[in-house]
């Protein structure tokens, strides 16, 4: 059993106190910390699978062969990872350059779809909030940063808009 507790009490919440039962060998404090780090990743894995299941609706696909299903899930994993990564990046590095996570085409479309004040800094957070707005995020002053679901919906809408924008005009 590993018992871990935050050293200092944070403002506005209680200290985190974990009791982790494991059958893995723990011969040192370093090994105990390693197991705690593994367990801490579980939340991220759960969120990734929620995006895969709820956003991509992988379980709703009606493909006839295992190979087709495996190919579809592989693509969905990439999409789910991107949604999760962008949501996490928005919280960890909001002032990063938007080119870190978005293509030039996505930035161009977002600038034309959702206008902002010319004086506003065009950071990663600025553009990810625009994507979230496409997904239903209200962006009120008291709202927390956008989550995975609105990011998923916003990216899905942005992708549809991008596909439409790339359709060549029909002559005749």
């Amino acid at each position: 059993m590993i018992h871990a507790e935050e050293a200092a009490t944070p403002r506005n919440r209680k200290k985190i106190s974990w009791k982790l039962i494991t059958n893995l060998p723990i011969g040192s404090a370093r090994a105990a910390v390693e197991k705690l780090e593994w367990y801490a990743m579980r939340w991220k894995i759960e969120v990734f699978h929620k995006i895969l299941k709820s956003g991509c609706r992988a379980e709703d696909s009606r493909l006839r062969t295992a190979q087709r299903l495996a190919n579809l899930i592989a693509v969905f994993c990439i999409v789910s990872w991107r949604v999760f990564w962008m949501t996490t990046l928005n919280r960890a590095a909001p002032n990063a350059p938007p080119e870190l996570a978005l293509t030039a085409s996505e930035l161009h479309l977002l600038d034309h779809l959702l206008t902002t004040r010319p004086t506003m800094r065009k950071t990663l957070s600025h553009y990810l909030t625009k994507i979230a707005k496409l997904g239903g995020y209200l962006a009120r002053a008291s709202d927390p940063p956008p989550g995975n679901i609105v990011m998923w919906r916003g990216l899905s809408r942005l992708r549809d808009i991008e596909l439409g924008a790339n359709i060549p005009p029909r002559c005749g």
Side-chain angles (χ1 to χ4, degrees), residues 36-55:
L36 287 168
E37 288 172 347
W38 290 355
Y39 188 78
M41 289 295 143
R42 181 175 176 203
W43 174 82
K44 291 179 180 181
I45 294 166
E46 298 274 341
V47 171
F48 171 81
H49 281 99
K50 180 182 178 188
I51 298 167
L52 185 63
K53 185 176 178 180
S54 301

Side-chain angles (χ1 to χ4, degrees), residues 109-168:
L109 282 171
L110 288 167
D111 281 336
H112 284 81
L113 288 169
L114 302 160
T115 58
T116 54
R117 294 184 310 269
T119 57
M120 183 172 260
R121 283 186 60 220
K122 294 186 176 185
T123 62
L124 177 65
S125 180
H126 169 79
Y127 283 99
L128 294 182
T129 299
K130 284 184 173 193
I131 290 171
K133 284 181 178 180
L134 290 175
Y137 181 66
L138 299 176
R140 297 172 295 210
S142 62
D143 286 345
N148 293 303
I149 301 301
V150 293
M151 289 302 293
W152 164 261
R153 284 188 293 219
L155 274 172
S156 181
R157 283 198 65 209
L158 182 60
R159 186 63 49 231
D160 290 344
I161 292 165
E162 188 173 22
L163 287 170
N166 289 327
I167 295 174

Side-chain angles (χ1 to χ4, degrees), residues 97-112:
E99 296 81 9
L100 183 66
L102 300 167
T103 66
S105 174
E106 290 168 333
L107 295 171
H108 176 76
L109 282 171
L110 288 167
D111 281 336
H112 284 81

Side-chain angles (χ1 to χ4, degrees), residues 22-41:
T22 180
N23 62 352
L24 298 169
I26 309 229
S28 66
R30 186 176 186 170
V33 168
E34 178 187 51
K35 303 318 179 266
L36 287 168
E37 288 172 347
W38 290 355
Y39 188 78
M41 289 295 143

